[in-house]
Amino acid sequence: MNCKIKDMYDLSHSIAAPLLEKYEYPWEVLPAIGDFIREVGPKLDTSVYEDRGDFIYIAKSVKFVNEVTNTIIGPCIIGPDTEVRPGAFIRGNAIIGADCVVGNSTEIKNDIIFDNVEVPHYNYVGDSVLGFHAHMGAGSITSNIKSDRTNVVIKDFSTGEKIETGLRKIGALLGDYVEVGCNTVLNPGSVVGSHTTIYPVSMIRGIIPANSVVKNRAKQEIISKK
C-alpha cells in the first residue's frame, strides 16, 4: 500500500511537520492534532502570530473577508496570508497552513491542511489531512464516519489489502496536488495519492494511486496519467 506519509507529502510545506514525522500513516496523526497545537502554539513567533486565547493562533496577515460571520474554536492555528471567507466554521483541532483559502460556509474540524490548499466553497473537511496544493471543488466533502459507526478500515480494492486503524472517525487523506471535482464525496478512510485528479460528482472509496485520474462516477474507473 503506497499510503505512507513519506509517499504522499512534502513535509516542508506544513507547520505540522514535527508531528507528521512521528508517524508512518497519515491517519495516525489525527488523535494528536489538538495536543500538538497546545504545545507549539505558545512558542509561535509573536511577530507573525496573534494569540487570541483558548489556544487560537492566527497569523496577523490572515485575510478575513467578513470576520463577524466566522466561528473559530480552539485549538487552532491559521497560517500567514490565508483567506477566510464569510460563514467559515473552524471547529477546533485544526492546523491550516499558509496561503490557503477557507471558503464561504466551509467547515473544518480536526484537520491538518498543508500550505496553499483551497477548500473554497461549501466544503466539509473533517478528520482529514490535505496535502500541499490540494484543492477541493465546490460542494465536495469528506465523510468521516461510517453509517454503522464501526472503526474505519483502510482498503486497497485493487489488491484486497486492509489496514485496521482503530479509529471511528477518519475522513480523507489527500496527497500533494490532489484535485477533487465539485460535489464529490470522499467516503471514510479514502486515501488519494499525490497528483491525482478526481472528476466532479464522484464517489471515492479506498486507496487511489498517485498520478491517476478517477473518471467514471459509477464504477470508480481509475487510469494512469500519461
Side-chain angles (χ1 to χ4, degrees), residues 172-206:
L173 299 317
L174 305 185
D176 295 342
Y177 293 96
V178 167
E179 288 281 342
V180 179
C182 296
N183 291 323
T184 288
V185 175
L186 298 148
N187 281 287
S190 295
V191 181
V192 183
S194 60
H195 297 273
T196 283
T197 299
I198 298 170
Y199 275 26
V201 201
S202 295
M203 189 278 291
I204 301 302
R205 300 171 62 220

Side-chain angles (χ1 to χ4, degrees), residues 16-36:
L19 175 62
L20 289 155
E21 287 169 349
K22 296 179 180 179
Y23 298 95
E24 184 174 18
Y25 295 106
W27 56 86
E28 294 174 326
V29 309
L30 298 176
I33 295 171
D35 287 342
F36 177 78

Side-chain angles (χ1 to χ4, degrees), residues 20-66:
L20 289 155
E21 287 169 349
K22 296 179 180 179
Y23 298 95
E24 184 174 18
Y25 295 106
W27 56 86
E28 294 174 326
V29 309
L30 298 176
I33 295 171
D35 287 342
F36 177 78
I37 297 171
R38 292 184 185 94
E39 176 187 351
V40 304
K43 304 173 187 176
L44 292 172
D45 185 347
T46 55
S47 69
V48 178
Y49 287 89
E50 177 184 357
D51 182 348
R52 296 200 175 187
D54 297 321
F55 296 101
I56 298 171
Y57 306 93
I58 298 178
K60 296 176 182 179
S61 60
V62 168
K63 178 184 177 183
F64 290 97
V65 177
N66 186 356

